[in-house]
C-alpha cells in the first residue's frame, strides 16, 4: 500500500493538474495570488520587509531568474523566493487558512520557479492549489492553535506552521513537472529538513522576536532545496508521515496525529476553500471580529478618539498570552499583535491598509494614549462557539463616550465563509484591497492590468507578463 507521502505525490501529479481542479479551487487560488501580490506591494519599505529584500538581493543579485515583487529587480530563484516570502507576510495582512499563514510560505518558491521556466498561469494555479490543500490537510492532522479541551482553550505546548513545507515543496515540483517518484522523494526530503515549530516561544515572550512565528523566507528556501535535492537524485523518506514513533509528527512536536485526515477523499474533496480567510485588517486575525464591531460603533456614531472614555472588549479566549497582551510597542511589528494597540488604531477611523502600520500612526500620542483606556477579556462563549463552527469568533464591544455606552457584537468576523453570508470577502472587496495596497507603489493602470491578469490567470501564457506589471513607480520605497 502506498505511503502517505506517495499518495500526496500521486495527488500532486495526477489529481491536481489544472484540468482536474474544481471551479471553486481555481477561483480561490487566483484570489490568494492577487491578495498576496497586494500584501507584498504594501509592505515595501517596512523595516522587516526591507531586511528580507536586502537578504534576497544578497542571495543572488547576479543571476536574474525571478522578480522581487514591486522592485522590478531580477535575482536568483532562491533570492526572489526569500524576499517575496518576507514581503507577503510583513504586514500580517495575508490570507489565513489552517494551519495558519500559508500563502507566504508556499507561493514564493512556486512563483520564482514559474518565472524561471516561463510557466503558464494554469501551472501556477495548480501549484497554489496543491500547496494549500496539502498544507491544510497535514495541518488538520496535527495540534492546532485553537484546540479545545473540556470546553476550554487548550493551546498545545508546540505550535507552528512548519507543515507548510510539504505544500511548498509540492508546488515547486508541480511547476517543474517532475515524475511521481521524484515528487515523493522531494516531499520526503522536505519533511526531513523542515524548520522547527518555534511559535509557542514567540507567543510566550514579550517583547518577542520580530521574525514572528516562522521566517517565511527560510521555509521557502527549504522547499526549494528539497525540490533541488530530489531532482538531483537524493532519496527522500517516504515513511516520514506514516511513522507515529519516529516520523514527522513526533519530531516536529505534535501530540496529535490524525493522519487519516491527510488522505481521505484526497483529489476528490478539496477542503481548503471552506476555511480560507482574507484579512480586512493588517493585524493579527484574533482581533478582527472586535474591530468589525468597534468600527461599526465609531462610524455610526461619529465618535472621535479623544471622546472615548473607555473600551471594554470580549474576544478570543486563547490569546491571553504575552504577545497579544503586550502594551509596549517599540517596533511596528509589536503593533501587529498587541490587542490594545490594534483596537486603538481601529478607533481612529483610518482606512485599513498599509497606513495602519505607518510609524507616524503606530507611535502617535493619540493611539498610544487610547490604549490605556482599553481592556480586553476572553469571551465566555468562545470555546463553545468555536467547537460548533470553526469560523465562529464571538466578540463584544462596549465603548463609552459622551456619557453613553455603545454596544456591538459579532459572531463571525469579516473575511471568510461562515453561516453569515455577509462575512465572505467578495471579489470586489478583494480588488479594492489590492488597489489600496498598490496605491503609491505602482501605476494605477498597471494595478488594474494586474487585477485583470490574475483573475484571468488561466489565460496567461507566461507568468512573467504578470510579475512584470508589479514594478514600483519612481520615488516609491523599495
Amino acid at each position: 500500500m502506498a505511503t502517505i507521502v506517495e499518495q500526496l505525490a500521486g495527488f500532486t501529479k495526477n489529481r491536481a493538474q489544472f484540468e482536474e481542479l474544481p471551479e471553486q479551487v481555481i477561483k480561490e487560488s487566483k484570489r490568494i495570488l492577487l491578495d498576496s501580490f497586494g500584501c507584498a506591494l504594501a509592505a515595501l519599505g517596512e523595516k522587516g520587509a526591507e531586511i528580507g529584500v536586502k537578504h534576497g538581493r544578497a542571495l543572488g543579485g547576479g543571476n536574474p531568474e525571478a522578480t522581487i515583487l514591486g522592485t522590478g529587480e531580477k535575482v536568483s530563484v532562491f533570492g526572489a523566493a526569500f524576499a517575496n516570502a518576507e514581503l507577503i507576510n510583513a504586514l500580517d495582512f495575508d490570507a489565513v487558512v489552517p494551519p495558519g499563514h500559508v500563502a507566504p510560505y508556499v507561493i514564493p518558491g512556486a512563483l520564482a520557479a514559474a518565472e524561471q521556466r516561463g510557466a503558464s498561469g494554469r501551472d501556477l494555479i495548480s501549484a497554489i492549489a496543491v500547496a494549500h490543500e496539502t498544507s491544510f490537510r497535514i495541518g488538520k492532522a496535527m495540534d492546532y492553535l485553537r484546540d479545545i479541551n473540556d470546553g476550554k482553550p487548550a493551546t498545545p505546548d508546540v505550535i507552528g506552521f512548519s507543515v507548510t513545507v510539504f505544500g511548498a515543496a509540492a508546488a515547486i515540483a508541480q511547476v517543474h513537472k517532475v515524475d511521481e517518484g521524484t515528487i515523493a522523494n522531494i516531499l520526503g526530503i522536505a519533511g526531513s529538513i523542515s524548520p522547527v515549530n518555534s511559535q509557542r516561544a514567540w507567543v510566550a515572550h514579550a517583547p518577542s522576536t520580530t521574525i514572528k512565528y516562522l521566517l517565511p523566507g527560510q521555509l521557502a528556501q527549504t522547499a526549494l532545496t528539497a525540490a533541488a535535492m530530489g531532482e538531483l537524485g537524493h532519496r527522500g523518506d517516504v515513511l516520514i508521515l506514516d511513522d507515529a514513533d519516529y516520523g514527522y509528527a513526533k519530531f516536529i512536536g505534535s501530540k496529535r496525529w490524525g493522519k487519516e485526515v491527510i488522505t481521505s477523499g484526497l483529489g476528490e474533496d478539496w477542503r481548503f476553500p471552506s476555511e480560507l480567510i482574507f484579512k480586512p485588517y493588517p493585524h493579527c486575525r484574533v482581533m478582527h471580529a472586535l474591530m468589525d464591531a468597534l468600527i461599526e460603533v465609531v462610524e455610526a456614531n461619529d465618535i472621535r478618539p479623544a471622546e472615548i472614555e473607555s473600551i471594554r472588549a470580549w474576544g478570543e479566549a486563547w490569546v491571553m498570552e504575552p504577545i497579544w497582551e503586550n502594551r509596549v510597542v517599540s517596533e511596528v511589528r509589536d503593533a501587529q499583535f498587541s490587542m490594545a494597540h490594534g483596537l486603538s488604531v481601529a478607533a481612529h477611523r483610518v482606512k485599513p491598509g498599509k497606513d495602519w502600520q505607518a510609524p507616524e500612526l503606530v507611535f502617535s500620542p493619540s493611539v498610544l494614549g487610547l490604549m490605556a483606556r482599553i481592556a480586553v477579556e476572553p469571551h465566555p462563549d468562545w470555546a463553545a462557539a468555536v467547537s460548533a463552527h470553526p469560523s465562529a469568533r464571538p466578540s463584544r464591544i462596549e465603548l463609552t463616550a459622551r456619557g453613553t455606552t455603545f454596544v456591538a457584537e459579532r459572531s463571525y468576523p469579516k473575511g471568510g465563509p461562515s453561516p453569515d453570508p455577509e462575512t465572505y470577502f467578495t471579489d470586489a472587496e478583494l480588488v479594492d484591497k489590492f488597489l489600496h495596497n498598490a496605491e503609491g507603489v505602482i501605476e494605477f493602470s498597471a494595478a488594474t492590468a494586474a487585477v485583470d491578469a490574475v483573475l484571468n490567470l488561466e489565460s496567461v501564457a507566461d507568468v512573467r507578463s504578470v510579475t512584470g506589471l508589479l514594478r514600483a513607480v519612481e520615488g516609491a520605497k523599495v
Side-chain angles (χ1 to χ4, degrees):
M1 185 175 179
T3 68
I4 294 174
V5 161
E6 290 168 339
Q7 290 179 67
L8 288 171
F11 163 66
T12 300
K13 184 65 179 177
N14 305 311
R15 303 303 300 274
Q17 301 301 317
F18 179 83
E19 294 74 18
E20 299 284 335
L21 301 180
E23 183 178 346
Q24 184 186 19
V25 171
I26 294 171
K27 177 181 179 180
E28 295 301 347
S29 296
K30 293 188 292 185
R31 280 158 48 93
I32 291 168
L33 182 63
L34 181 65
D35 188 62
S36 298
F37 281 163
C39 292
L41 295 177
L44 286 166
E46 187 267 347
K47 181 181 175 180
E50 190 173 335
I51 292 170
V53 169
K54 287 179 179 178
H55 189 60
R57 289 169 177 153
L59 286 169
N63 197 8
E65 298 173 314
T67 308
I68 297 178
L69 296 172
T71 68
E73 297 177 55
K74 285 189 177 291
V75 295
S76 70
V77 165
F78 275 76
F82 188 96
N84 291 336
E86 295 299 304
L87 282 166
I88 292 170
N89 185 243
L91 302 186
D92 224 71
F93 208 6
D94 52 284
V96 291
V97 65
H101 289 273
V102 173
Y105 300 109
V106 304
I107 289 179
L111 178 63
E115 280 201 273
Q116 180 194 39
R117 298 185 177 221
S120 70
R122 291 188 172 203
D123 292 335
L124 185 55
I125 291 170
S126 298
I128 294 170
V130 76
H132 279 77
E133 187 69 11
T134 300
S135 299
F136 179 83
R137 284 172 171 267
I138 301 178
K140 280 289 191 178
M142 303 180 72
D143 290 338
Y144 183 47
L145 282 71
R146 291 178 174 84
D147 280 348
I148 295 169
N149 186 21
D150 293 331
K152 297 179 181 180
T155 304
D157 292 335
V158 181
I159 52 177
F161 309 147
S162 297
V163 298
T164 59
V165 74
F166 293 99
I172 296 163
Q174 182 79 299
V175 172
H176 286 182
K177 299 185 183 299
V178 298
D179 63 80
E180 190 173 325
T182 302
I183 297 173
N185 283 323
I186 289 170
L187 295 179
I189 293 167
S192 297
I193 63 175
S194 167
V196 298
N197 270 331
S198 60
Q199 185 174 346
R200 193 67 182 88
W202 170 75
V203 165
H205 302 152
S208 195
T209 171
T210 51
I211 285 175
K212 302 194 282 191
Y213 16 75
L214 172 63
L215 191 69
Q218 179 198 6
L219 190 133
Q221 288 193 320
T222 300
L224 284 166
T225 297
M229 294 300 99
E231 290 182 54
L232 287 169
H234 265 298
R235 183 176 63 212
D237 184 355
V238 297
L239 291 169
I240 201 165
L241 292 177
D242 287 271
D243 189 342
D245 293 323
Y246 303 106
Y248 187 79
K250 193 76 168 183
F251 68 69
I252 209 68
S254 180
K255 293 182 179 178
R256 177 165 57 89
W257 186 230
K259 61 183 183 180
E260 66 283 350
V261 174
I262 302 173
T263 55
S264 65
L266 185 64
E268 298 174 1
D269 180 16
W270 287 78
R271 297 174 181 169
F272 81 86
S274 67
E275 295 188 40
L276 176 64
I277 295 166
F278 294 95
K279 298 177 75 170
Y281 311 109
H283 195 285
C284 186
R285 180 67 176 171
V286 302
M287 295 294 291
H288 285 208
L290 288 171
M291 289 171 173
D292 290 339
L294 177 59
I295 290 172
E296 172 194 309
V297 167
V298 296
E299 290 186 346
N301 299 283
D302 194 24
I303 298 172
R304 303 298 171 184
E307 298 178 294
I308 298 173
E309 298 164 33
S310 67
I311 296 174
R312 292 192 68 191
W314 290 263
E316 292 215 25
W318 70 281
V319 296
M320 299 298 121
E321 297 275 0
I323 193 69
W324 293 290
E325 292 185 311
N326 176 47
R327 290 171 182 258
V328 180
V329 178
S330 58
E331 295 270 0
V332 169
R333 290 197 174 188
D334 296 333
Q336 295 177 2
F337 303 96
S338 168
M339 293 185 286
H341 192 283
L343 287 175
S344 182
V345 169
H348 278 70
R349 298 165 66 179
V350 175
K351 182 173 180 176
K354 56 191 172 185
D355 290 344
W356 271 35
Q357 293 186 35
E360 55 268 27
L361 179 65
V362 169
F363 302 114
S364 72
S366 180
V367 167
L368 298 179
L370 180 56
M371 288 174 65
R373 307 195 294 277
I374 296 174
V376 184
E377 303 173 44
H379 196 288
D381 299 332
W382 184 85
V386 174
S387 297
H389 196 284
S391 296
R393 299 291 183 271
S395 301
R396 178 182 175 89
I397 286 286
E398 292 182 3
L399 183 152
T400 301
R402 309 170 193 152
T404 300
T405 298
F406 303 87
V407 178
E409 296 186 273
R410 288 291 187 278
S411 297
Y412 303 94
K414 180 70 177 179
S418 80
D420 179 1
E422 292 298 315
T423 67
Y424 181 75
F425 215 59
T426 66
D427 285 356
E429 290 169 328
L430 194 67
V431 169
D432 180 69
K433 176 184 174 181
F434 173 82
L435 293 177
H436 184 52
N437 279 336
E439 187 177 342
V441 182
I442 64 175
E443 296 284 359
F444 180 75
S445 59
T448 56
V451 168
D452 182 67
V454 174
L455 295 184
N456 295 283
L457 193 59
E458 62 270 34
S459 301
V460 172
D462 186 333
V463 297
R464 289 174 291 195
S465 66
V466 182
T467 54
L469 295 168
L470 308 177
R471 183 186 297 269
V473 298
E474 187 176 351
K477 289 183 178 181
V478 296

